[in-house]
Amino acid sequence: MAFISLLASIGYFEIFVAIFCFFVLALRGGNSYRWNWPFLGMFPSLILHIHRIHERSVEILSITKGTFLIKGLWFTNMDILGTVDPPNVHYIMSANFTNFPKGQELKKIFDVLGDGIFSSDMDMWKNQRKLARALIINERFHKCSAKISMNKVKNGLIPILEFIAKEDRIVDLQDVFKRFTFDTTCKLLTGFESCCLSLEFPEVPFLKAMDDAKYVVTIRYLLPESVWKLQKWLGVGPEMKLRKASNVLDHVIGEYILMKREELSRGEKPKKDNEEGFDLLTPYIINDGETTSGLKFDTKFLRDTFLNFMFTGHDTISPGLTWFIWLVSTHPEVEKNIREELKAIIPIEEAEKWRLFTADELKNAVYLLAALCESLRLYPPVAFQHKTPLEPDILPSGHHVHPNMRMMIPLCAMGRMESIWGKDASEFKPHRWISDRGTIKHEPSYKFFSFNAGPRTCLGKEVAFTQMKLVVATIIYNYQIEMVKGHVVYPNLSVMLYMKHGFNVRVKRKWA
């Protein structure tokens, strides 16, 4: 039992290393990011600053011209080349894309996602992307997505904001946005209502399981594979948490798949002219058991597809909404400009009255879109991108890479690099996105990396912008969001960039 208890604590090995390094580095002083310790490599410095990894990435990459090699623990293949240099990013993501897959190591770390589109490579990824693209570019999909979002704003989000404002309660707006995007993504995926966004704030095991899974895969990324695999085999430490989370995810997804199969078996197929009748799961289930383009449409494939779509939909839009509302609420001039733009696109007689906005009304809201782009630049929902070279290569910066090396593109650091965005890179300035003609400036994806780049560019970019605009326009025009005094806003340590302590606010109505 003592041996098992010891192994259970190994998942927190980095904490003990950090304590040791703190005293050693405090005695030596100076910049430690280049120290390559015997056996430990640069791991001590990495762990010492892990609580502020995003700021640390900016500091180091600014000094090293955008690219830096972190030497990992010896004999573990944990060397990491971090880069935000645009020519390198373009080379990795586009020019020499085939030599830089996500790799088997990332697939093992993210095994909870199965063989879904997020962690797949080569033909498996190509075939899934081709299938997903055919569905997502469908006009019915876009109409359905906009209508689902609009209905959820009206019947889910607004009642909560009204209640909170009336009762002068404190609410974690990040939790509200998590529930909102879970409901909308679930409806778009399955056609069924999940109703986790309600005044009762019910417990949602699926959301907690997703958070637990993201936490554990982040721990995996910091530890040698042999350590977390041993934990997994023994069923201890963080791996026990991941096992429980996976069971919850499998159970909930399995129920949705069963419900959809039963619905289709009864012949309850959606009408072609019914926008709300469209869902992404139905086309996959119709091919149940068949093999097309190398894809076998069995239960496992449906499970992996559901979870990957949920991960890329819910877990990108909800943090994006949270950081945006915080930035706007702490920048009164930006908030004023957005309200003035919204007021200008509605009839005069409706000005200064409570109202909802439609997707069509917001198509030409240039400043609002600029503010969203600026928020995503500073706080991209996906914290980093991982790649592994298939063959030895040389990046445009002159750095050599090889298959036993991890490559990482830290998106937060990329958005704050003065060499890319100018001296005011760390400031929230939506006007940097507006051209002299009053239109949105185009920034290349290897500079503005929030929606990925090259062949893996996000398929749901326009859907994400539409949903975010519907939500934030309604909130900013009709309400005043005030963060609770003393509440600390700080990014978490995870693959997805949420606020570590949530976003506690009060809500005030603007109009009677």
PDB file of all heavy atoms in Angstrom, residues 54 102 110 118 311-312 315-317 319-320 323 376 379-386 409-413 449-452 458 494-498:
ATOM      1  N   HIS A  54       2.493  31.441 -19.491  1.00  0.00           N
ATOM      2  CA  HIS A  54       2.224  32.307 -20.640  1.00  0.00           C
ATOM      3  C   HIS A  54       3.110  33.555 -20.617  1.00  0.00           C
ATOM      4  O   HIS A  54       3.686  33.935 -21.645  1.00  0.00           O
ATOM      5  CB  HIS A  54       0.743  32.693 -20.666  1.00  0.00           C
ATOM      6  CG  HIS A  54      -0.177  31.513 -20.653  1.00  0.00           C
ATOM      7  ND1 HIS A  54      -0.212  30.596 -21.678  1.00  0.00           N
ATOM      8  CD2 HIS A  54      -1.074  31.087 -19.729  1.00  0.00           C
ATOM      9  CE1 HIS A  54      -1.093  29.654 -21.391  1.00  0.00           C
ATOM     10  NE2 HIS A  54      -1.634  29.934 -20.225  1.00  0.00           N
ATOM     11  N   LYS A 102       0.703  16.096 -36.032  1.00  0.00           N
ATOM     12  CA  LYS A 102       0.593  16.221 -34.577  1.00  0.00           C
ATOM     13  C   LYS A 102       1.383  15.121 -33.883  1.00  0.00           C
ATOM     14  O   LYS A 102       1.906  15.301 -32.788  1.00  0.00           O
ATOM     15  CB  LYS A 102      -0.870  16.181 -34.154  1.00  0.00           C
ATOM     16  CG  LYS A 102      -1.644  17.395 -34.670  1.00  0.00           C
ATOM     17  CD  LYS A 102      -2.798  17.742 -33.784  1.00  0.00           C
ATOM     18  CE  LYS A 102      -3.388  19.086 -34.158  1.00  0.00           C
ATOM     19  NZ  LYS A 102      -4.469  19.514 -33.262  1.00  0.00           N
ATOM     20  N   PHE A 110      -3.451  12.604 -25.636  1.00  0.00           N
ATOM     21  CA  PHE A 110      -4.871  12.944 -25.777  1.00  0.00           C
ATOM     22  C   PHE A 110      -5.703  11.720 -26.141  1.00  0.00           C
ATOM     23  O   PHE A 110      -6.667  11.822 -26.902  1.00  0.00           O
ATOM     24  CB  PHE A 110      -5.050  14.008 -26.862  1.00  0.00           C
ATOM     25  CG  PHE A 110      -4.673  15.395 -26.441  1.00  0.00           C
ATOM     26  CD1 PHE A 110      -3.353  15.801 -26.462  1.00  0.00           C
ATOM     27  CD2 PHE A 110      -5.626  16.307 -26.009  1.00  0.00           C
ATOM     28  CE1 PHE A 110      -2.981  17.081 -26.078  1.00  0.00           C
ATOM     29  CE2 PHE A 110      -5.280  17.587 -25.623  1.00  0.00           C
ATOM     30  CZ  PHE A 110      -3.947  17.983 -25.652  1.00  0.00           C
ATOM     31  N   PHE A 118      -9.352  15.967 -34.105  1.00  0.00           N
ATOM     32  CA  PHE A 118      -8.423  16.860 -33.420  1.00  0.00           C
ATOM     33  C   PHE A 118      -7.009  16.288 -33.357  1.00  0.00           C
ATOM     34  O   PHE A 118      -6.030  16.987 -33.607  1.00  0.00           O
ATOM     35  CB  PHE A 118      -8.913  17.144 -31.988  1.00  0.00           C
ATOM     36  CG  PHE A 118      -7.957  17.988 -31.186  1.00  0.00           C
ATOM     37  CD1 PHE A 118      -7.952  19.370 -31.308  1.00  0.00           C
ATOM     38  CD2 PHE A 118      -7.054  17.396 -30.303  1.00  0.00           C
ATOM     39  CE1 PHE A 118      -7.062  20.142 -30.579  1.00  0.00           C
ATOM     40  CE2 PHE A 118      -6.159  18.166 -29.569  1.00  0.00           C
ATOM     41  CZ  PHE A 118      -6.172  19.546 -29.703  1.00  0.00           C
ATOM     42  N   PHE A 311     -15.388  19.242 -28.163  1.00  0.00           N
ATOM     43  CA  PHE A 311     -14.136  19.849 -27.724  1.00  0.00           C
ATOM     44  C   PHE A 311     -13.801  21.085 -28.554  1.00  0.00           C
ATOM     45  O   PHE A 311     -13.432  22.131 -28.013  1.00  0.00           O
ATOM     46  CB  PHE A 311     -13.009  18.819 -27.830  1.00  0.00           C
ATOM     47  CG  PHE A 311     -11.673  19.292 -27.333  1.00  0.00           C
ATOM     48  CD1 PHE A 311     -11.408  19.378 -25.982  1.00  0.00           C
ATOM     49  CD2 PHE A 311     -10.664  19.644 -28.225  1.00  0.00           C
ATOM     50  CE1 PHE A 311     -10.170  19.803 -25.521  1.00  0.00           C
ATOM     51  CE2 PHE A 311      -9.429  20.076 -27.777  1.00  0.00           C
ATOM     52  CZ  PHE A 311      -9.179  20.159 -26.412  1.00  0.00           C
ATOM     53  N   THR A 312     -13.936  20.990 -29.872  1.00  0.00           N
ATOM     54  CA  THR A 312     -13.567  22.101 -30.744  1.00  0.00           C
ATOM     55  C   THR A 312     -14.648  23.177 -30.815  1.00  0.00           C
ATOM     56  O   THR A 312     -14.370  24.308 -31.213  1.00  0.00           O
ATOM     57  CB  THR A 312     -13.266  21.604 -32.173  1.00  0.00           C
ATOM     58  OG1 THR A 312     -14.402  20.863 -32.670  1.00  0.00           O
ATOM     59  CG2 THR A 312     -12.051  20.698 -32.182  1.00  0.00           C
ATOM     60  N   ASP A 315     -15.465  24.118 -26.241  1.00  0.00           N
ATOM     61  CA  ASP A 315     -14.270  24.505 -25.492  1.00  0.00           C
ATOM     62  C   ASP A 315     -13.443  25.582 -26.167  1.00  0.00           C
ATOM     63  O   ASP A 315     -12.357  25.918 -25.688  1.00  0.00           O
ATOM     64  CB  ASP A 315     -13.390  23.285 -25.235  1.00  0.00           C
ATOM     65  CG  ASP A 315     -13.459  22.840 -23.788  1.00  0.00           C
ATOM     66  OD1 ASP A 315     -13.747  23.686 -22.928  1.00  0.00           O
ATOM     67  OD2 ASP A 315     -13.230  21.656 -23.507  1.00  0.00           O
ATOM     68  N   THR A 316     -13.891  26.116 -27.269  1.00  0.00           N
ATOM     69  CA  THR A 316     -13.206  27.257 -27.879  1.00  0.00           C
ATOM     70  C   THR A 316     -14.038  28.531 -27.738  1.00  0.00           C
ATOM     71  O   THR A 316     -13.509  29.591 -27.424  1.00  0.00           O
ATOM     72  CB  THR A 316     -12.917  26.992 -29.364  1.00  0.00           C
ATOM     73  OG1 THR A 316     -14.135  26.644 -30.039  1.00  0.00           O
ATOM     74  CG2 THR A 316     -11.917  25.870 -29.536  1.00  0.00           C
ATOM     75  N   ILE A 317     -15.336  28.413 -27.933  1.00  0.00           N
ATOM     76  CA  ILE A 317     -16.195  29.599 -27.895  1.00  0.00           C
ATOM     77  C   ILE A 317     -16.397  30.108 -26.468  1.00  0.00           C
ATOM     78  O   ILE A 317     -16.381  31.321 -26.232  1.00  0.00           O
ATOM     79  CB  ILE A 317     -17.553  29.303 -28.564  1.00  0.00           C
ATOM     80  CG1 ILE A 317     -17.337  29.017 -30.051  1.00  0.00           C
ATOM     81  CG2 ILE A 317     -18.511  30.478 -28.397  1.00  0.00           C
ATOM     82  CD1 ILE A 317     -18.581  28.614 -30.806  1.00  0.00           C
ATOM     83  N   PRO A 319     -14.409  30.029 -23.639  1.00  0.00           N
ATOM     84  CA  PRO A 319     -13.342  30.897 -23.123  1.00  0.00           C
ATOM     85  C   PRO A 319     -13.198  32.182 -23.930  1.00  0.00           C
ATOM     86  O   PRO A 319     -12.868  33.237 -23.382  1.00  0.00           O
ATOM     87  CB  PRO A 319     -12.084  30.030 -23.216  1.00  0.00           C
ATOM     88  CG  PRO A 319     -12.397  28.984 -24.217  1.00  0.00           C
ATOM     89  CD  PRO A 319     -13.866  28.738 -24.102  1.00  0.00           C
ATOM     90  N   GLY A 320     -13.471  32.090 -25.242  1.00  0.00           N
ATOM     91  CA  GLY A 320     -13.416  33.292 -26.074  1.00  0.00           C
ATOM     92  C   GLY A 320     -14.410  34.341 -25.604  1.00  0.00           C
ATOM     93  O   GLY A 320     -14.096  35.544 -25.530  1.00  0.00           O
ATOM     94  N   TRP A 323     -13.169  35.862 -21.964  1.00  0.00           N
ATOM     95  CA  TRP A 323     -12.089  36.854 -22.032  1.00  0.00           C
ATOM     96  C   TRP A 323     -12.557  38.130 -22.720  1.00  0.00           C
ATOM     97  O   TRP A 323     -12.152  39.237 -22.329  1.00  0.00           O
ATOM     98  CB  TRP A 323     -10.878  36.269 -22.756  1.00  0.00           C
ATOM     99  CG  TRP A 323     -10.155  35.229 -21.970  1.00  0.00           C
ATOM    100  CD1 TRP A 323     -10.107  33.882 -22.214  1.00  0.00           C
ATOM    101  CD2 TRP A 323      -9.368  35.434 -20.787  1.00  0.00           C
ATOM    102  NE1 TRP A 323      -9.349  33.244 -21.264  1.00  0.00           N
ATOM    103  CE2 TRP A 323      -8.880  34.165 -20.379  1.00  0.00           C
ATOM    104  CE3 TRP A 323      -9.031  36.565 -20.040  1.00  0.00           C
ATOM    105  CZ2 TRP A 323      -8.070  34.015 -19.257  1.00  0.00           C
ATOM    106  CZ3 TRP A 323      -8.225  36.410 -18.918  1.00  0.00           C
ATOM    107  CH2 TRP A 323      -7.747  35.154 -18.538  1.00  0.00           C
ATOM    108  N   LEU A 376      -9.194  37.646 -29.246  1.00  0.00           N
ATOM    109  CA  LEU A 376      -8.673  36.324 -29.591  1.00  0.00           C
ATOM    110  C   LEU A 376      -7.166  36.358 -29.815  1.00  0.00           C
ATOM    111  O   LEU A 376      -6.479  35.349 -29.623  1.00  0.00           O
ATOM    112  CB  LEU A 376      -9.379  35.797 -30.841  1.00  0.00           C
ATOM    113  CG  LEU A 376     -10.859  35.443 -30.661  1.00  0.00           C
ATOM    114  CD1 LEU A 376     -11.511  35.176 -32.015  1.00  0.00           C
ATOM    115  CD2 LEU A 376     -11.013  34.232 -29.747  1.00  0.00           C
ATOM    116  N   TYR A 379      -5.979  36.501 -26.041  1.00  0.00           N
ATOM    117  CA  TYR A 379      -6.415  35.330 -25.264  1.00  0.00           C
ATOM    118  C   TYR A 379      -7.013  34.270 -26.183  1.00  0.00           C
ATOM    119  O   TYR A 379      -8.218  34.040 -26.193  1.00  0.00           O
ATOM    120  CB  TYR A 379      -7.427  35.750 -24.186  1.00  0.00           C
ATOM    121  CG  TYR A 379      -6.834  36.653 -23.139  1.00  0.00           C
ATOM    122  CD1 TYR A 379      -6.972  38.032 -23.222  1.00  0.00           C
ATOM    123  CD2 TYR A 379      -6.103  36.129 -22.069  1.00  0.00           C
ATOM    124  CE1 TYR A 379      -6.411  38.876 -22.267  1.00  0.00           C
ATOM    125  CE2 TYR A 379      -5.542  36.953 -21.114  1.00  0.00           C
ATOM    126  CZ  TYR A 379      -5.705  38.328 -21.218  1.00  0.00           C
ATOM    127  OH  TYR A 379      -5.139  39.148 -20.270  1.00  0.00           O
ATOM    128  N   PRO A 380      -6.170  33.603 -26.970  1.00  0.00           N
ATOM    129  CA  PRO A 380      -6.667  32.547 -27.863  1.00  0.00           C
ATOM    130  C   PRO A 380      -7.183  31.363 -27.051  1.00  0.00           C
ATOM    131  O   PRO A 380      -6.526  30.938 -26.084  1.00  0.00           O
ATOM    132  CB  PRO A 380      -5.423  32.167 -28.676  1.00  0.00           C
ATOM    133  CG  PRO A 380      -4.279  32.543 -27.791  1.00  0.00           C
ATOM    134  CD  PRO A 380      -4.713  33.755 -27.031  1.00  0.00           C
ATOM    135  N   PRO A 381      -8.347  30.814 -27.380  1.00  0.00           N
ATOM    136  CA  PRO A 381      -8.911  29.705 -26.600  1.00  0.00           C
ATOM    137  C   PRO A 381      -7.993  28.484 -26.493  1.00  0.00           C
ATOM    138  O   PRO A 381      -7.918  27.856 -25.445  1.00  0.00           O
ATOM    139  CB  PRO A 381     -10.193  29.371 -27.360  1.00  0.00           C
ATOM    140  CG  PRO A 381     -10.583  30.655 -28.017  1.00  0.00           C
ATOM    141  CD  PRO A 381      -9.287  31.283 -28.420  1.00  0.00           C
ATOM    142  N   VAL A 382      -7.294  28.144 -27.580  1.00  0.00           N
ATOM    143  CA  VAL A 382      -6.348  27.021 -27.542  1.00  0.00           C
ATOM    144  C   VAL A 382      -4.988  27.587 -27.146  1.00  0.00           C
ATOM    145  O   VAL A 382      -4.447  28.449 -27.830  1.00  0.00           O
ATOM    146  CB  VAL A 382      -6.258  26.311 -28.906  1.00  0.00           C
ATOM    147  CG1 VAL A 382      -5.267  25.153 -28.830  1.00  0.00           C
ATOM    148  CG2 VAL A 382      -7.626  25.804 -29.341  1.00  0.00           C
ATOM    149  N   ALA A 383      -4.436  27.101 -26.027  1.00  0.00           N
ATOM    150  CA  ALA A 383      -3.230  27.707 -25.466  1.00  0.00           C
ATOM    151  C   ALA A 383      -1.979  27.433 -26.289  1.00  0.00           C
ATOM    152  O   ALA A 383      -1.080  28.269 -26.356  1.00  0.00           O
ATOM    153  CB  ALA A 383      -3.023  27.214 -24.034  1.00  0.00           C
ATOM    154  N   PHE A 384      -1.905  26.261 -26.909  1.00  0.00           N
ATOM    155  CA  PHE A 384      -0.712  25.949 -27.698  1.00  0.00           C
ATOM    156  C   PHE A 384      -1.036  24.916 -28.766  1.00  0.00           C
ATOM    157  O   PHE A 384      -2.021  24.186 -28.672  1.00  0.00           O
ATOM    158  CB  PHE A 384       0.421  25.434 -26.794  1.00  0.00           C
ATOM    159  CG  PHE A 384       0.119  24.138 -26.100  1.00  0.00           C
ATOM    160  CD1 PHE A 384       0.376  22.931 -26.712  1.00  0.00           C
ATOM    161  CD2 PHE A 384      -0.415  24.130 -24.809  1.00  0.00           C
ATOM    162  CE1 PHE A 384       0.093  21.725 -26.077  1.00  0.00           C
ATOM    163  CE2 PHE A 384      -0.698  22.936 -24.163  1.00  0.00           C
ATOM    164  CZ  PHE A 384      -0.440  21.739 -24.798  1.00  0.00           C
ATOM    165  N   GLN A 385      -0.196  24.863 -29.781  1.00  0.00           N
ATOM    166  CA  GLN A 385      -0.288  23.845 -30.824  1.00  0.00           C
ATOM    167  C   GLN A 385       0.949  22.963 -30.752  1.00  0.00           C
ATOM    168  O   GLN A 385       2.065  23.449 -30.569  1.00  0.00           O
ATOM    169  CB  GLN A 385      -0.375  24.494 -32.213  1.00  0.00           C
ATOM    170  CG  GLN A 385      -1.719  25.113 -32.528  1.00  0.00           C
ATOM    171  CD  GLN A 385      -2.780  24.076 -32.846  1.00  0.00           C
ATOM    172  OE1 GLN A 385      -2.470  22.898 -33.047  1.00  0.00           O
ATOM    173  NE2 GLN A 385      -4.028  24.499 -32.892  1.00  0.00           N
ATOM    174  N   HIS A 386       0.741  21.666 -30.908  1.00  0.00           N
ATOM    175  CA  HIS A 386       1.819  20.687 -30.783  1.00  0.00           C
ATOM    176  C   HIS A 386       2.077  20.034 -32.138  1.00  0.00           C
ATOM    177  O   HIS A 386       1.145  19.664 -32.849  1.00  0.00           O
ATOM    178  CB  HIS A 386       1.404  19.622 -29.756  1.00  0.00           C
ATOM    179  CG  HIS A 386       2.336  18.457 -29.663  1.00  0.00           C
ATOM    180  ND1 HIS A 386       3.119  18.214 -28.569  1.00  0.00           N
ATOM    181  CD2 HIS A 386       2.608  17.436 -30.537  1.00  0.00           C
ATOM    182  CE1 HIS A 386       3.833  17.103 -28.756  1.00  0.00           C
ATOM    183  NE2 HIS A 386       3.528  16.620 -29.944  1.00  0.00           N
ATOM    184  N   ILE A 409       3.870  25.702 -30.482  1.00  0.00           N
ATOM    185  CA  ILE A 409       3.595  27.096 -30.836  1.00  0.00           C
ATOM    186  C   ILE A 409       2.692  27.653 -29.743  1.00  0.00           C
ATOM    187  O   ILE A 409       1.498  27.343 -29.704  1.00  0.00           O
ATOM    188  CB  ILE A 409       2.907  27.197 -32.211  1.00  0.00           C
ATOM    189  CG1 ILE A 409       3.761  26.528 -33.289  1.00  0.00           C
ATOM    190  CG2 ILE A 409       2.655  28.668 -32.569  1.00  0.00           C
ATOM    191  CD1 ILE A 409       3.074  26.407 -34.638  1.00  0.00           C
ATOM    192  N   PRO A 410       3.238  28.460 -28.809  1.00  0.00           N
ATOM    193  CA  PRO A 410       2.422  29.042 -27.738  1.00  0.00           C
ATOM    194  C   PRO A 410       1.655  30.263 -28.236  1.00  0.00           C
ATOM    195  O   PRO A 410       2.232  31.304 -28.512  1.00  0.00           O
ATOM    196  CB  PRO A 410       3.454  29.419 -26.676  1.00  0.00           C
ATOM    197  CG  PRO A 410       4.724  29.605 -27.419  1.00  0.00           C
ATOM    198  CD  PRO A 410       4.664  28.758 -28.641  1.00  0.00           C
ATOM    199  N   LEU A 411       0.341  30.123 -28.361  1.00  0.00           N
ATOM    200  CA  LEU A 411      -0.466  31.158 -29.012  1.00  0.00           C
ATOM    201  C   LEU A 411      -0.540  32.452 -28.215  1.00  0.00           C
ATOM    202  O   LEU A 411      -0.577  33.536 -28.798  1.00  0.00           O
ATOM    203  CB  LEU A 411      -1.877  30.622 -29.283  1.00  0.00           C
ATOM    204  CG  LEU A 411      -2.043  29.805 -30.570  1.00  0.00           C
ATOM    205  CD1 LEU A 411      -1.330  28.470 -30.450  1.00  0.00           C
ATOM    206  CD2 LEU A 411      -3.508  29.580 -30.887  1.00  0.00           C
ATOM    207  N   CYS A 412      -0.590  32.358 -26.884  1.00  0.00           N
ATOM    208  CA  CYS A 412      -0.642  33.571 -26.066  1.00  0.00           C
ATOM    209  C   CYS A 412       0.592  34.420 -26.288  1.00  0.00           C
ATOM    210  O   CYS A 412       0.515  35.641 -26.405  1.00  0.00           O
ATOM    211  CB  CYS A 412      -0.781  33.223 -24.593  1.00  0.00           C
ATOM    212  SG  CYS A 412      -2.475  32.957 -24.078  1.00  0.00           S
ATOM    213  N   ALA A 413       1.752  33.769 -26.307  1.00  0.00           N
ATOM    214  CA  ALA A 413       3.004  34.496 -26.521  1.00  0.00           C
ATOM    215  C   ALA A 413       3.033  35.113 -27.908  1.00  0.00           C
ATOM    216  O   ALA A 413       3.485  36.252 -28.091  1.00  0.00           O
ATOM    217  CB  ALA A 413       4.188  33.558 -26.327  1.00  0.00           C
ATOM    218  N   PHE A 449      -2.976  33.385 -35.179  1.00  0.00           N
ATOM    219  CA  PHE A 449      -3.010  31.930 -35.221  1.00  0.00           C
ATOM    220  C   PHE A 449      -4.175  31.320 -34.453  1.00  0.00           C
ATOM    221  O   PHE A 449      -4.237  30.119 -34.245  1.00  0.00           O
ATOM    222  CB  PHE A 449      -1.680  31.412 -34.648  1.00  0.00           C
ATOM    223  CG  PHE A 449      -1.348  29.997 -34.996  1.00  0.00           C
ATOM    224  CD1 PHE A 449      -1.287  29.581 -36.315  1.00  0.00           C
ATOM    225  CD2 PHE A 449      -1.076  29.071 -34.008  1.00  0.00           C
ATOM    226  CE1 PHE A 449      -0.975  28.274 -36.640  1.00  0.00           C
ATOM    227  CE2 PHE A 449      -0.758  27.756 -34.310  1.00  0.00           C
ATOM    228  CZ  PHE A 449      -0.706  27.364 -35.637  1.00  0.00           C
ATOM    229  N   SER A 450      -5.127  32.147 -34.026  1.00  0.00           N
ATOM    230  CA  SER A 450      -6.202  31.665 -33.163  1.00  0.00           C
ATOM    231  C   SER A 450      -7.095  30.621 -33.822  1.00  0.00           C
ATOM    232  O   SER A 450      -7.760  29.845 -33.134  1.00  0.00           O
ATOM    233  CB  SER A 450      -7.058  32.847 -32.683  1.00  0.00           C
ATOM    234  OG  SER A 450      -6.301  33.707 -31.874  1.00  0.00           O
ATOM    235  N   PHE A 451      -7.147  30.620 -35.154  1.00  0.00           N
ATOM    236  CA  PHE A 451      -7.970  29.636 -35.863  1.00  0.00           C
ATOM    237  C   PHE A 451      -7.095  28.653 -36.642  1.00  0.00           C
ATOM    238  O   PHE A 451      -7.505  28.115 -37.658  1.00  0.00           O
ATOM    239  CB  PHE A 451      -8.943  30.343 -36.807  1.00  0.00           C
ATOM    240  CG  PHE A 451     -10.018  31.112 -36.080  1.00  0.00           C
ATOM    241  CD1 PHE A 451      -9.875  32.469 -35.826  1.00  0.00           C
ATOM    242  CD2 PHE A 451     -11.163  30.481 -35.626  1.00  0.00           C
ATOM    243  CE1 PHE A 451     -10.852  33.185 -35.150  1.00  0.00           C
ATOM    244  CE2 PHE A 451     -12.145  31.176 -34.954  1.00  0.00           C
ATOM    245  CZ  PHE A 451     -11.991  32.530 -34.711  1.00  0.00           C
ATOM    246  N   ASN A 452      -5.867  28.427 -36.121  1.00  0.00           N
ATOM    247  CA  ASN A 452      -4.925  27.529 -36.767  1.00  0.00           C
ATOM    248  C   ASN A 452      -4.512  28.090 -38.135  1.00  0.00           C
ATOM    249  O   ASN A 452      -4.859  29.212 -38.469  1.00  0.00           O
ATOM    250  CB  ASN A 452      -5.502  26.121 -36.888  1.00  0.00           C
ATOM    251  CG  ASN A 452      -4.468  25.034 -36.651  1.00  0.00           C
ATOM    252  OD1 ASN A 452      -3.363  25.098 -37.175  1.00  0.00           O
ATOM    253  ND2 ASN A 452      -4.825  24.043 -35.854  1.00  0.00           N
ATOM    254  N   CYS A 458      -9.243  26.170 -38.978  1.00  0.00           N
ATOM    255  CA  CYS A 458     -10.526  25.825 -38.363  1.00  0.00           C
ATOM    256  C   CYS A 458     -11.686  25.933 -39.353  1.00  0.00           C
ATOM    257  O   CYS A 458     -11.889  26.979 -39.974  1.00  0.00           O
ATOM    258  CB  CYS A 458     -10.778  26.748 -37.170  1.00  0.00           C
ATOM    259  SG  CYS A 458     -12.366  26.479 -36.375  1.00  0.00           S
ATOM    260  N   SER A 494      -3.752  24.902 -18.710  1.00  0.00           N
ATOM    261  CA  SER A 494      -4.506  23.858 -19.395  1.00  0.00           C
ATOM    262  C   SER A 494      -4.320  24.019 -20.898  1.00  0.00           C
ATOM    263  O   SER A 494      -3.793  25.035 -21.370  1.00  0.00           O
ATOM    264  CB  SER A 494      -5.991  23.953 -19.038  1.00  0.00           C
ATOM    265  OG  SER A 494      -6.743  22.985 -19.758  1.00  0.00           O
ATOM    266  N   VAL A 495      -4.750  23.020 -21.628  1.00  0.00           N
ATOM    267  CA  VAL A 495      -4.684  23.111 -23.084  1.00  0.00           C
ATOM    268  C   VAL A 495      -5.677  24.146 -23.614  1.00  0.00           C
ATOM    269  O   VAL A 495      -5.517  24.654 -24.712  1.00  0.00           O
ATOM    270  CB  VAL A 495      -4.959  21.749 -23.745  1.00  0.00           C
ATOM    271  CG1 VAL A 495      -3.832  20.782 -23.443  1.00  0.00           C
ATOM    272  CG2 VAL A 495      -6.292  21.168 -23.296  1.00  0.00           C
ATOM    273  N   MET A 496      -6.720  24.452 -22.830  1.00  0.00           N
ATOM    274  CA  MET A 496      -7.690  25.477 -23.193  1.00  0.00           C
ATOM    275  C   MET A 496      -7.564  26.636 -22.211  1.00  0.00           C
ATOM    276  O   MET A 496      -7.448  26.440 -21.012  1.00  0.00           O
ATOM    277  CB  MET A 496      -9.114  24.918 -23.176  1.00  0.00           C
ATOM    278  CG  MET A 496      -9.311  23.663 -24.004  1.00  0.00           C
ATOM    279  SD  MET A 496      -8.777  23.793 -25.736  1.00  0.00           S
ATOM    280  CE  MET A 496      -9.948  24.998 -26.354  1.00  0.00           C
ATOM    281  N   LEU A 497      -7.611  27.852 -22.718  1.00  0.00           N
ATOM    282  CA  LEU A 497      -7.292  29.032 -21.917  1.00  0.00           C
ATOM    283  C   LEU A 497      -8.526  29.594 -21.231  1.00  0.00           C
ATOM    284  O   LEU A 497      -9.137  30.557 -21.696  1.00  0.00           O
ATOM    285  CB  LEU A 497      -6.648  30.100 -22.802  1.00  0.00           C
ATOM    286  CG  LEU A 497      -5.887  31.201 -22.064  1.00  0.00           C
ATOM    287  CD1 LEU A 497      -4.619  30.642 -21.453  1.00  0.00           C
ATOM    288  CD2 LEU A 497      -5.561  32.342 -23.002  1.00  0.00           C
ATOM    289  N   TYR A 498      -8.880  29.012 -20.100  1.00  0.00           N
ATOM    290  CA  TYR A 498      -9.960  29.535 -19.275  1.00  0.00           C
ATOM    291  C   TYR A 498      -9.384  30.412 -18.163  1.00  0.00           C
ATOM    292  O   TYR A 498      -8.174  30.460 -17.952  1.00  0.00           O
ATOM    293  CB  TYR A 498     -10.742  28.381 -18.639  1.00  0.00           C
ATOM    294  CG  TYR A 498     -11.724  27.705 -19.565  1.00  0.00           C
ATOM    295  CD1 TYR A 498     -11.423  26.490 -20.174  1.00  0.00           C
ATOM    296  CD2 TYR A 498     -12.957  28.292 -19.830  1.00  0.00           C
ATOM    297  CE1 TYR A 498     -12.335  25.863 -21.019  1.00  0.00           C
ATOM    298  CE2 TYR A 498     -13.867  27.662 -20.666  1.00  0.00           C
ATOM    299  CZ  TYR A 498     -13.559  26.460 -21.258  1.00  0.00           C
ATOM    300  OH  TYR A 498     -14.457  25.855 -22.095  1.00  0.00           O
TER     301      TYR A 498
END
